Amino acid sequence: QVQFVESGGGLVQPGGALRISCAPPGRIFSIYNLGWYRQAPGKQRELVAGITRSSITNYADSVTGRFTSSRDITKNTVYLKMNRLKPEDTAVYYCNEPDNPCSSWGQGTQVTVSA
């Protein structure tokens, strides 16, 4: 099973920025695309960003222009840079490979946006 490890979350004031990281323990990133997801209290999990093996990215309308996903091949890590954070961005953030039948959800990393 492929379970990613997310890290870098924390408490941020509205308008602030945060970068969270995603790593696949024990292996190099696979051929699959990777997605960033979040789940806020009382809401379903949603896709907020995607990045392909070739580093082509796409974003949900709610985060377009504020979030940026990137890869660092040398560190075997994918990042999600979050700028101009809003209270509505408060959620547990996860990374996963939506097309990989062996993937599973990890613990996620908590991002809290509050004054």
Side-chain angles (χ1 to χ4, degrees), residues 28-109:
I28 299 173
F29 278 107
S30 71
I31 63 173
Y32 297 102
N33 299 327
L34 184 138
W36 283 101
Y37 303 79
R38 68 185 182 188
Q39 187 166 28
K43 296 185 177 181
Q44 64 181 1
R45 184 167 53 239
E46 63 176 341
L47 176 68
V48 297
I51 183 167
T52 70
R53 182 185 181 185
S54 300
S55 296
I56 298 173
T57 57
N58 59 82
Y59 305 92
D61 290 342
S62 59
V63 305
T64 295
R66 299 189 298 117
F67 289 13
T68 303
S69 184
S70 62
R71 293 182 183 271
D72 187 333
I73 303 301
T74 62
K75 295 182 178 180
N76 193 29
T77 302
V78 175
Y79 301 100
L80 183 66
K81 183 66 171 67
M82 302 176 287
N83 298 315
R84 305 195 307 279
L85 284 161
K86 305 175 181 179
E88 307 92 271
D89 296 320
T90 296
V92 177
Y93 285 73
Y94 305 86
C95 58
N96 209 343
E97 295 178 334
D99 300 320
N100 186 349
C102 296
S103 66
S104 61
W105 298 104
Q107 295 295 309
T109 186

